[in-house]
Short mmCIF file of all heavy atoms in Angstrom, two decimals:
data_model
loop_
_atom_site.label_atom_id
_atom_site.label_comp_id
_atom_site.label_asym_id
_atom_site.label_seq_id
_atom_site.Cartn_x
_atom_site.Cartn_y
_atom_site.Cartn_z
N MET K 23 0.85 -1.17 0.00
CA MET K 23 0.00 0.00 0.00
C MET K 23 0.90 1.24 0.00
O MET K 23 1.73 1.40 0.88
CB MET K 23 -0.90 -0.04 1.24
CG MET K 23 -1.93 1.01 1.25
SD MET K 23 -2.99 0.77 2.68
CE MET K 23 -4.53 1.04 1.92
N LYS K 24 0.72 2.07 -0.96
CA LYS K 24 1.56 3.25 -1.12
C LYS K 24 0.91 4.46 -0.43
O LYS K 24 -0.27 4.71 -0.63
CB LYS K 24 1.75 3.54 -2.61
CG LYS K 24 2.67 4.68 -2.89
CD LYS K 24 2.81 4.86 -4.37
CE LYS K 24 3.62 6.09 -4.66
NZ LYS K 24 3.75 6.36 -6.07
N MET K 25 1.70 5.17 0.37
CA MET K 25 1.19 6.36 1.05
C MET K 25 1.31 7.55 0.09
O MET K 25 2.39 7.84 -0.40
CB MET K 25 2.00 6.66 2.31
CG MET K 25 1.85 5.63 3.40
SD MET K 25 0.30 5.79 4.26
CE MET K 25 0.62 7.23 5.22
N GLU K 26 0.21 8.18 -0.18
CA GLU K 26 0.23 9.35 -1.05
C GLU K 26 0.15 10.61 -0.21
O GLU K 26 -0.53 10.64 0.81
CB GLU K 26 -0.94 9.31 -2.03
CG GLU K 26 -0.82 8.21 -3.05
CD GLU K 26 -1.94 8.28 -4.07
OE1 GLU K 26 -2.44 9.39 -4.30
OE2 GLU K 26 -2.28 7.23 -4.60
N ASN K 27 0.83 11.65 -0.64
CA ASN K 27 0.79 12.92 0.05
C ASN K 27 -0.47 13.66 -0.39
O ASN K 27 -0.57 14.11 -1.53
CB ASN K 27 2.04 13.74 -0.26
CG ASN K 27 2.10 14.99 0.57
OD1 ASN K 27 1.27 15.23 1.43
ND2 ASN K 27 3.10 15.80 0.33
N LEU K 28 -1.44 13.74 0.48
CA LEU K 28 -2.71 14.38 0.16
C LEU K 28 -2.77 15.84 0.61
O LEU K 28 -3.77 16.50 0.42
CB LEU K 28 -3.87 13.60 0.78
CG LEU K 28 -3.99 12.15 0.32
CD1 LEU K 28 -5.12 11.46 1.06
CD2 LEU K 28 -4.21 12.07 -1.18
N GLU K 29 -1.69 16.30 1.22
CA GLU K 29 -1.66 17.69 1.67
C GLU K 29 -1.48 18.62 0.47
O GLU K 29 -0.67 18.35 -0.41
CB GLU K 29 -0.50 17.91 2.64
CG GLU K 29 -0.65 17.19 3.96
CD GLU K 29 -1.75 17.78 4.81
OE1 GLU K 29 -1.90 19.02 4.82
OE2 GLU K 29 -2.44 17.00 5.47
N PRO K 30 -2.22 19.72 0.43
CA PRO K 30 -2.03 20.65 -0.69
C PRO K 30 -0.71 21.41 -0.55
O PRO K 30 -0.26 21.71 0.55
CB PRO K 30 -3.21 21.61 -0.56
CG PRO K 30 -3.59 21.54 0.88
CD PRO K 30 -3.27 20.15 1.33
N THR K 31 -0.10 21.70 -1.66
CA THR K 31 1.10 22.53 -1.65
C THR K 31 0.67 23.98 -1.81
O THR K 31 -0.46 24.28 -2.22
CB THR K 31 2.05 22.14 -2.79
OG1 THR K 31 1.38 22.37 -4.02
CG2 THR K 31 2.47 20.69 -2.68
N LEU K 32 1.56 24.89 -1.50
CA LEU K 32 1.21 26.30 -1.58
C LEU K 32 0.84 26.71 -3.00
O LEU K 32 -0.04 27.54 -3.22
CB LEU K 32 2.37 27.17 -1.08
CG LEU K 32 2.62 27.13 0.43
CD1 LEU K 32 3.83 27.97 0.77
CD2 LEU K 32 1.41 27.61 1.18
N ASP K 33 1.49 26.12 -3.98
CA ASP K 33 1.21 26.47 -5.37
C ASP K 33 -0.17 26.01 -5.83
O ASP K 33 -0.74 26.57 -6.76
CB ASP K 33 2.27 25.89 -6.30
CG ASP K 33 3.63 26.55 -6.07
OD1 ASP K 33 3.64 27.73 -5.66
OD2 ASP K 33 4.65 25.88 -6.30
N THR K 34 -0.72 24.97 -5.19
CA THR K 34 -2.04 24.48 -5.60
C THR K 34 -3.17 25.21 -4.88
O THR K 34 -4.32 25.06 -5.26
CB THR K 34 -2.16 22.97 -5.34
OG1 THR K 34 -1.98 22.72 -3.94
CG2 THR K 34 -1.14 22.20 -6.13
N ILE K 35 -2.87 25.98 -3.86
CA ILE K 35 -3.91 26.74 -3.16
C ILE K 35 -4.23 27.97 -3.99
O ILE K 35 -3.35 28.72 -4.40
CB ILE K 35 -3.43 27.15 -1.75
CG1 ILE K 35 -3.19 25.89 -0.92
CG2 ILE K 35 -4.47 28.01 -1.07
CD1 ILE K 35 -2.59 26.18 0.43
N GLU K 36 -5.52 28.16 -4.27
CA GLU K 36 -5.91 29.24 -5.19
C GLU K 36 -5.66 30.63 -4.64
O GLU K 36 -5.58 31.58 -5.40
CB GLU K 36 -7.37 29.10 -5.57
CG GLU K 36 -8.33 29.33 -4.42
CD GLU K 36 -9.78 29.14 -4.81
OE1 GLU K 36 -10.06 28.24 -5.59
OE2 GLU K 36 -10.60 29.91 -4.31
N ASP K 37 -5.54 30.78 -3.33
CA ASP K 37 -5.37 32.10 -2.73
C ASP K 37 -3.90 32.44 -2.46
O ASP K 37 -3.60 33.46 -1.86
CB ASP K 37 -6.14 32.19 -1.41
CG ASP K 37 -7.62 32.14 -1.62
OD1 ASP K 37 -8.07 32.32 -2.76
OD2 ASP K 37 -8.35 31.89 -0.65
N TYR K 38 -2.99 31.60 -2.87
CA TYR K 38 -1.58 31.81 -2.56
C TYR K 38 -0.95 32.81 -3.51
O TYR K 38 -1.23 32.84 -4.70
CB TYR K 38 -0.84 30.48 -2.62
CG TYR K 38 0.64 30.60 -2.33
CD1 TYR K 38 1.07 30.95 -1.07
CD2 TYR K 38 1.57 30.38 -3.32
CE1 TYR K 38 2.42 31.08 -0.79
CE2 TYR K 38 2.93 30.50 -3.06
CZ TYR K 38 3.34 30.85 -1.79
OH TYR K 38 4.67 30.99 -1.52
N ASN K 39 -0.11 33.66 -2.97
CA ASN K 39 0.72 34.58 -3.73
C ASN K 39 -0.09 35.58 -4.56
O ASN K 39 0.20 35.83 -5.72
CB ASN K 39 1.69 33.79 -4.63
CG ASN K 39 2.92 34.59 -4.96
OD1 ASN K 39 3.17 35.63 -4.35
ND2 ASN K 39 3.68 34.13 -5.92
N GLY K 40 -1.11 36.15 -3.95
CA GLY K 40 -1.89 37.21 -4.61
C GLY K 40 -2.83 36.73 -5.70
O GLY K 40 -3.28 37.52 -6.51
N LYS K 41 -3.16 35.44 -5.73
CA LYS K 41 -4.04 34.91 -6.78
C LYS K 41 -5.50 34.83 -6.33
O LYS K 41 -6.30 34.23 -7.02
CB LYS K 41 -3.57 33.52 -7.19
CG LYS K 41 -2.22 33.47 -7.82
CD LYS K 41 -1.95 32.05 -8.28
CE LYS K 41 -0.53 31.67 -7.96
NZ LYS K 41 -0.25 30.27 -8.20
N GLU K 42 -5.84 35.42 -5.19
CA GLU K 42 -7.21 35.33 -4.71
C GLU K 42 -8.14 36.14 -5.61
O GLU K 42 -7.74 37.07 -6.28
CB GLU K 42 -7.33 35.80 -3.26
CG GLU K 42 -7.03 37.26 -3.05
CD GLU K 42 -5.57 37.55 -2.86
OE1 GLU K 42 -4.75 36.63 -2.80
OE2 GLU K 42 -5.23 38.74 -2.79
N SER K 43 -9.41 35.77 -5.57
CA SER K 43 -10.39 36.47 -6.40
C SER K 43 -10.68 37.85 -5.81
O SER K 43 -10.45 38.12 -4.62
CB SER K 43 -11.68 35.65 -6.50
OG SER K 43 -12.31 35.59 -5.24
N LYS K 44 -11.21 38.73 -6.65
CA LYS K 44 -11.55 40.08 -6.18
C LYS K 44 -12.64 40.03 -5.13
O LYS K 44 -12.67 40.84 -4.21
CB LYS K 44 -11.97 40.94 -7.36
CG LYS K 44 -10.83 41.30 -8.26
CD LYS K 44 -11.26 42.24 -9.36
CE LYS K 44 -10.08 42.59 -10.24
NZ LYS K 44 -10.43 43.55 -11.28
N GLU K 45 -13.55 39.05 -5.26
CA GLU K 45 -14.63 38.92 -4.27
C GLU K 45 -14.08 38.56 -2.89
O GLU K 45 -14.49 39.12 -1.88
CB GLU K 45 -15.61 37.84 -4.75
CG GLU K 45 -16.80 37.65 -3.84
CD GLU K 45 -17.74 36.59 -4.37
OE1 GLU K 45 -17.87 36.47 -5.59
OE2 GLU K 45 -18.33 35.89 -3.54
N LYS K 46 -13.14 37.64 -2.84
CA LYS K 46 -12.53 37.27 -1.55
C LYS K 46 -11.73 38.43 -0.97
O LYS K 46 -11.77 38.68 0.23
CB LYS K 46 -11.62 36.06 -1.72
CG LYS K 46 -12.36 34.77 -1.91
CD LYS K 46 -11.42 33.60 -1.97
CE LYS K 46 -12.19 32.32 -2.20
NZ LYS K 46 -11.31 31.16 -2.24
N ARG K 47 -11.01 39.15 -1.83
CA ARG K 47 -10.24 40.30 -1.36
C ARG K 47 -11.17 41.37 -0.79
O ARG K 47 -10.89 41.96 0.25
CB ARG K 47 -9.42 40.86 -2.52
CG ARG K 47 -8.43 41.91 -2.10
CD ARG K 47 -7.67 42.43 -3.27
NE ARG K 47 -6.95 41.35 -3.94
CZ ARG K 47 -5.68 41.38 -4.25
NH1 ARG K 47 -4.98 42.45 -3.99
NH2 ARG K 47 -5.10 40.36 -4.82
N MET K 48 -12.30 41.61 -1.46
CA MET K 48 -13.27 42.60 -0.99
C MET K 48 -13.90 42.16 0.33
O MET K 48 -14.10 42.97 1.24
CB MET K 48 -14.36 42.81 -2.05
CG MET K 48 -15.33 43.91 -1.70
SD MET K 48 -14.57 45.54 -1.54
CE MET K 48 -14.08 45.84 -3.21
N THR K 49 -14.18 40.87 0.46
CA THR K 49 -14.75 40.35 1.71
C THR K 49 -13.79 40.55 2.87
O THR K 49 -14.19 40.94 3.97
CB THR K 49 -15.08 38.86 1.55
OG1 THR K 49 -15.99 38.70 0.47
CG2 THR K 49 -15.71 38.30 2.81
N ILE K 50 -12.52 40.30 2.63
CA ILE K 50 -11.52 40.49 3.69
C ILE K 50 -11.45 41.95 4.12
O ILE K 50 -11.43 42.27 5.31
CB ILE K 50 -10.14 39.97 3.22
CG1 ILE K 50 -10.17 38.46 3.11
CG2 ILE K 50 -9.04 40.41 4.17
CD1 ILE K 50 -8.97 37.86 2.43
N TRP K 51 -11.46 42.86 3.14
CA TRP K 51 -11.42 44.29 3.47
C TRP K 51 -12.68 44.72 4.23
O TRP K 51 -12.61 45.53 5.15
CB TRP K 51 -11.25 45.13 2.21
CG TRP K 51 -9.82 45.24 1.81
CD1 TRP K 51 -9.22 44.67 0.74
CD2 TRP K 51 -8.79 45.95 2.51
NE1 TRP K 51 -7.88 44.98 0.72
CE2 TRP K 51 -7.59 45.76 1.80
CE3 TRP K 51 -8.76 46.72 3.68
CZ2 TRP K 51 -6.38 46.32 2.19
CZ3 TRP K 51 -7.55 47.28 4.07
CH2 TRP K 51 -6.39 47.08 3.35
N ILE K 52 -13.84 44.18 3.84
CA ILE K 52 -15.08 44.52 4.54
C ILE K 52 -15.02 44.06 5.99
O ILE K 52 -15.41 44.79 6.91
CB ILE K 52 -16.29 43.92 3.81
CG1 ILE K 52 -16.52 44.67 2.49
CG2 ILE K 52 -17.55 43.96 4.67
CD1 ILE K 52 -17.57 44.04 1.59
N VAL K 53 -14.52 42.86 6.22
CA VAL K 53 -14.41 42.34 7.59
C VAL K 53 -13.44 43.18 8.42
O VAL K 53 -13.74 43.57 9.56
CB VAL K 53 -13.97 40.85 7.58
CG1 VAL K 53 -13.60 40.37 8.97
CG2 VAL K 53 -15.07 39.99 6.99
N ILE K 54 -12.29 43.52 7.85
CA ILE K 54 -11.31 44.33 8.58
C ILE K 54 -11.86 45.72 8.90
O ILE K 54 -11.78 46.20 10.04
CB ILE K 54 -10.00 44.43 7.78
CG1 ILE K 54 -9.31 43.08 7.73
CG2 ILE K 54 -9.06 45.48 8.36
CD1 ILE K 54 -8.12 43.01 6.80
N LEU K 55 -12.44 46.38 7.90
CA LEU K 55 -12.96 47.73 8.12
C LEU K 55 -14.17 47.73 9.06
O LEU K 55 -14.34 48.67 9.85
CB LEU K 55 -13.31 48.37 6.78
CG LEU K 55 -12.10 48.66 5.88
CD1 LEU K 55 -12.56 49.22 4.54
CD2 LEU K 55 -11.13 49.60 6.55
N SER K 56 -14.99 46.68 9.00
CA SER K 56 -16.12 46.59 9.94
C SER K 56 -15.62 46.47 11.37
O SER K 56 -16.16 47.10 12.28
CB SER K 56 -16.99 45.38 9.60
OG SER K 56 -17.55 45.52 8.33
N GLY K 57 -14.59 45.66 11.58
CA GLY K 57 -14.02 45.52 12.92
C GLY K 57 -13.43 46.82 13.43
O GLY K 57 -13.62 47.19 14.59
N LEU K 58 -12.73 47.54 12.55
CA LEU K 58 -12.19 48.84 12.95
C LEU K 58 -13.29 49.85 13.25
O LEU K 58 -13.18 50.63 14.21
CB LEU K 58 -11.27 49.39 11.85
CG LEU K 58 -9.95 48.64 11.67
CD1 LEU K 58 -9.22 49.16 10.45
CD2 LEU K 58 -9.09 48.77 12.90
N LEU K 59 -14.35 49.84 12.46
CA LEU K 59 -15.47 50.76 12.69
C LEU K 59 -16.17 50.45 14.00
O LEU K 59 -16.46 51.37 14.78
CB LEU K 59 -16.46 50.67 11.53
CG LEU K 59 -17.68 51.57 11.62
CD1 LEU K 59 -17.26 53.05 11.57
CD2 LEU K 59 -18.65 51.27 10.51
N ILE K 60 -16.42 49.18 14.28
CA ILE K 60 -17.06 48.81 15.54
C ILE K 60 -16.18 49.19 16.72
O ILE K 60 -16.65 49.71 17.74
CB ILE K 60 -17.39 47.31 15.54
CG1 ILE K 60 -18.51 47.02 14.54
CG2 ILE K 60 -17.79 46.82 16.93
CD1 ILE K 60 -18.75 45.55 14.28
N GLY K 61 -14.87 48.97 16.59
CA GLY K 61 -13.94 49.36 17.66
C GLY K 61 -13.90 50.85 17.88
O GLY K 61 -13.86 51.33 19.02
N ALA K 62 -13.95 51.62 16.79
CA ALA K 62 -13.94 53.08 16.91
C ALA K 62 -15.22 53.58 17.58
O ALA K 62 -15.17 54.45 18.45
CB ALA K 62 -13.77 53.73 15.54
N VAL K 63 -16.36 53.03 17.18
CA VAL K 63 -17.63 53.43 17.79
C VAL K 63 -17.64 53.09 19.27
O VAL K 63 -18.04 53.90 20.11
CB VAL K 63 -18.82 52.77 17.05
CG1 VAL K 63 -20.12 52.94 17.82
CG2 VAL K 63 -18.96 53.35 15.65
N TYR K 64 -17.19 51.89 19.61
CA TYR K 64 -17.13 51.49 21.02
C TYR K 64 -16.21 52.42 21.81
O TYR K 64 -16.53 52.82 22.93
CB TYR K 64 -16.65 50.04 21.13
CG TYR K 64 -16.54 49.56 22.54
CD1 TYR K 64 -17.68 49.21 23.26
CD2 TYR K 64 -15.30 49.47 23.17
CE1 TYR K 64 -17.57 48.77 24.57
CE2 TYR K 64 -15.19 49.04 24.46
CZ TYR K 64 -16.33 48.69 25.17
OH TYR K 64 -16.22 48.27 26.46
N THR K 65 -15.07 52.77 21.25
CA THR K 65 -14.12 53.66 21.94
C THR K 65 -14.71 55.04 22.14
O THR K 65 -14.58 55.63 23.22
CB THR K 65 -12.81 53.76 21.13
OG1 THR K 65 -12.27 52.45 20.98
CG2 THR K 65 -11.81 54.65 21.82
N ILE K 66 -15.38 55.57 21.12
CA ILE K 66 -16.00 56.90 21.25
C ILE K 66 -17.09 56.89 22.30
O ILE K 66 -17.17 57.80 23.14
CB ILE K 66 -16.54 57.36 19.88
CG1 ILE K 66 -15.37 57.66 18.94
CG2 ILE K 66 -17.44 58.57 20.03
CD1 ILE K 66 -15.79 57.89 17.50
N ILE K 67 -17.91 55.85 22.30
CA ILE K 67 -19.00 55.77 23.29
C ILE K 67 -18.43 55.63 24.69
O ILE K 67 -18.87 56.31 25.63
CB ILE K 67 -19.94 54.60 22.96
CG1 ILE K 67 -20.74 54.93 21.70
CG2 ILE K 67 -20.88 54.30 24.12
CD1 ILE K 67 -21.58 53.79 21.19
N SER K 68 -17.42 54.79 24.87
CA SER K 68 -16.87 54.60 26.21
C SER K 68 -16.09 55.83 26.69
O SER K 68 -16.03 56.10 27.88
CB SER K 68 -15.98 53.36 26.27
OG SER K 68 -14.85 53.52 25.45
N ALA K 69 -15.52 56.59 25.76
CA ALA K 69 -14.78 57.79 26.16
C ALA K 69 -15.73 58.93 26.53
O ALA K 69 -15.40 59.77 27.37
CB ALA K 69 -13.86 58.23 25.03
N ASN K 70 -16.90 58.97 25.92
CA ASN K 70 -17.83 60.07 26.17
C ASN K 70 -18.85 59.77 27.26
O ASN K 70 -19.57 60.67 27.67
CB ASN K 70 -18.57 60.44 24.87
CG ASN K 70 -17.65 61.12 23.89
OD1 ASN K 70 -16.70 61.77 24.28
ND2 ASN K 70 -17.94 60.95 22.62
N SER K 71 -18.95 58.54 27.69
CA SER K 71 -19.88 58.24 28.77
C SER K 71 -19.11 58.22 30.08
O SER K 71 -18.12 57.52 30.22
CB SER K 71 -20.56 56.89 28.54
OG SER K 71 -19.61 55.86 28.52
N SER K 72 -19.57 59.03 31.00
CA SER K 72 -18.85 59.11 32.27
C SER K 72 -19.65 58.38 33.34
O SER K 72 -20.87 58.45 33.40
CB SER K 72 -18.66 60.57 32.68
OG SER K 72 -19.91 61.19 32.85
N VAL K 73 -18.94 57.67 34.16
CA VAL K 73 -19.53 56.95 35.27
C VAL K 73 -19.10 57.67 36.54
O VAL K 73 -17.92 57.88 36.78
CB VAL K 73 -19.05 55.49 35.30
CG1 VAL K 73 -19.62 54.76 36.50
CG2 VAL K 73 -19.41 54.79 34.01
N SER K 74 -20.08 58.04 37.32
CA SER K 74 -19.78 58.76 38.55
C SER K 74 -19.19 57.79 39.57
O SER K 74 -19.77 56.76 39.87
CB SER K 74 -21.04 59.39 39.11
OG SER K 74 -20.77 59.99 40.35
N ASP K 75 -18.02 58.11 40.08
CA ASP K 75 -17.42 57.27 41.10
C ASP K 75 -17.62 57.87 42.49
O ASP K 75 -16.97 57.47 43.44
CB ASP K 75 -15.94 57.04 40.81
CG ASP K 75 -15.15 58.34 40.73
OD1 ASP K 75 -15.78 59.40 40.76
OD2 ASP K 75 -13.92 58.27 40.64
N GLU K 76 -18.54 58.81 42.59
CA GLU K 76 -18.84 59.44 43.87
C GLU K 76 -19.72 58.51 44.69
O GLU K 76 -20.68 57.94 44.19
CB GLU K 76 -19.57 60.77 43.64
CG GLU K 76 -19.84 61.55 44.89
CD GLU K 76 -20.50 62.88 44.58
OE1 GLU K 76 -20.18 63.47 43.54
OE2 GLU K 76 -21.35 63.30 45.37
N LEU K 77 -19.39 58.38 45.97
CA LEU K 77 -20.19 57.54 46.86
C LEU K 77 -21.35 58.35 47.42
O LEU K 77 -21.20 59.52 47.77
CB LEU K 77 -19.33 57.02 48.01
CG LEU K 77 -18.22 56.04 47.64
CD1 LEU K 77 -17.39 55.71 48.88
CD2 LEU K 77 -18.80 54.79 47.05
N ASP K 78 -22.49 57.71 47.51
CA ASP K 78 -23.66 58.36 48.07
C ASP K 78 -23.59 58.21 49.59
O ASP K 78 -23.76 57.12 50.13
CB ASP K 78 -24.93 57.73 47.52
CG ASP K 78 -26.18 58.43 48.00
OD1 ASP K 78 -26.09 59.61 48.40
OD2 ASP K 78 -27.26 57.80 47.96
N VAL K 79 -23.33 59.30 50.29
CA VAL K 79 -23.21 59.26 51.74
C VAL K 79 -24.32 60.08 52.39
O VAL K 79 -24.18 60.56 53.50
CB VAL K 79 -21.83 59.78 52.21
CG1 VAL K 79 -20.73 58.82 51.80
CG2 VAL K 79 -21.56 61.16 51.67
N SER K 80 -25.44 60.21 51.71
CA SER K 80 -26.52 61.04 52.25
C SER K 80 -27.36 60.31 53.29
O SER K 80 -28.11 60.93 54.02
CB SER K 80 -27.42 61.53 51.11
OG SER K 80 -28.02 60.42 50.48
N HIS K 81 -27.24 59.01 53.38
CA HIS K 81 -28.06 58.29 54.36
C HIS K 81 -27.41 58.34 55.76
O HIS K 81 -26.22 58.48 55.90
CB HIS K 81 -28.25 56.82 53.91
CG HIS K 81 -26.98 56.03 53.91
ND1 HIS K 81 -26.07 56.11 52.91
CD2 HIS K 81 -26.48 55.14 54.81
CE1 HIS K 81 -25.06 55.30 53.16
NE2 HIS K 81 -25.29 54.71 54.33
N ASN K 82 -28.24 58.22 56.74
CA ASN K 82 -27.79 58.27 58.12
C ASN K 82 -27.50 56.84 58.57
O ASN K 82 -28.39 55.99 58.54
CB ASN K 82 -28.85 58.92 59.00
CG ASN K 82 -28.37 59.16 60.41
OD1 ASN K 82 -27.26 58.76 60.76
ND2 ASN K 82 -29.19 59.80 61.22
N ALA K 83 -26.32 56.57 59.01
CA ALA K 83 -25.94 55.22 59.42
C ALA K 83 -26.26 54.95 60.89
O ALA K 83 -25.90 53.91 61.41
CB ALA K 83 -24.45 55.01 59.18
N GLY K 84 -26.92 55.87 61.52
CA GLY K 84 -27.26 55.68 62.92
C GLY K 84 -26.17 56.09 63.88
O GLY K 84 -26.28 55.85 65.07
N MET K 85 -25.14 56.73 63.41
CA MET K 85 -24.06 57.20 64.27
C MET K 85 -24.19 58.70 64.44
O MET K 85 -24.47 59.43 63.51
CB MET K 85 -22.70 56.87 63.67
CG MET K 85 -22.42 55.41 63.56
SD MET K 85 -20.77 55.20 62.91
CE MET K 85 -20.77 53.47 62.64
N LEU K 86 -23.99 59.13 65.64
CA LEU K 86 -24.10 60.56 65.93
C LEU K 86 -22.70 61.15 66.05
O LEU K 86 -21.82 60.59 66.69
CB LEU K 86 -24.85 60.77 67.24
CG LEU K 86 -26.29 60.25 67.26
CD1 LEU K 86 -26.88 60.39 68.67
CD2 LEU K 86 -27.14 61.00 66.26
N LYS K 87 -22.53 62.31 65.45
CA LYS K 87 -21.26 63.01 65.59
C LYS K 87 -21.34 63.94 66.78
O LYS K 87 -22.34 64.59 67.02
CB LYS K 87 -20.98 63.84 64.32
CG LYS K 87 -20.43 63.05 63.20
CD LYS K 87 -20.00 64.01 62.11
CE LYS K 87 -19.20 63.31 61.04
NZ LYS K 87 -18.78 64.20 59.99
N HIS K 88 -20.26 64.07 67.51
CA HIS K 88 -20.22 64.99 68.65
C HIS K 88 -19.34 66.13 68.34
O HIS K 88 -18.38 66.15 67.73
CB HIS K 88 -19.73 64.28 69.91
CG HIS K 88 -20.69 63.25 70.41
ND1 HIS K 88 -21.93 63.58 70.91
CD2 HIS K 88 -20.61 61.90 70.48
CE1 HIS K 88 -22.55 62.47 71.28
NE2 HIS K 88 -21.75 61.43 71.02
#
């Protein structure tokens, strides 16, 4: 029984060395730019929303000051 090499070589892969289709190239750019856009929107929202770190001490804890 002869063992055959069934692994593809780089030359047989259709996307190797700039041979990918324009549709695949456009899809990759859309995914990359979408990720950057979502990250930018998230960063802008998180930078402009402020969370108050002030503690609410208006309640009376039952201790009297002298």
Side-chain angles (χ1 to χ4, degrees):
M23 188 175 223
K24 184 179 175 182
M25 293 284 286
E26 292 185 28
N27 186 4
L28 300 177
E29 293 290 322
T31 62
L32 289 177
D33 293 331
T34 60
I35 297 174
E36 67 182 38
D37 293 344
Y38 179 67
N39 204 13
K41 296 185 221 172
E42 65 274 355
S43 67
K44 289 184 179 183
E45 182 179 326
K46 286 184 182 181
R47 189 181 301 231
M48 185 62 67
T49 302
I50 291 170
W51 276 110
I52 289 172
V53 169
I54 291 171
L55 293 177
S56 297
L58 290 173
L59 180 65
I60 291 170
V63 168
Y64 179 76
T65 302
I66 290 170
I67 289 173
S68 65
N70 289 331
S71 62
S72 62
V73 177
S74 176
D75 58 352
E76 184 177 325
L77 294 175
D78 184 22
V79 291
S80 62
H81 66 280
N82 187 356
M85 295 183 188
L86 299 174
K87 280 189 169 180
H88 293 293

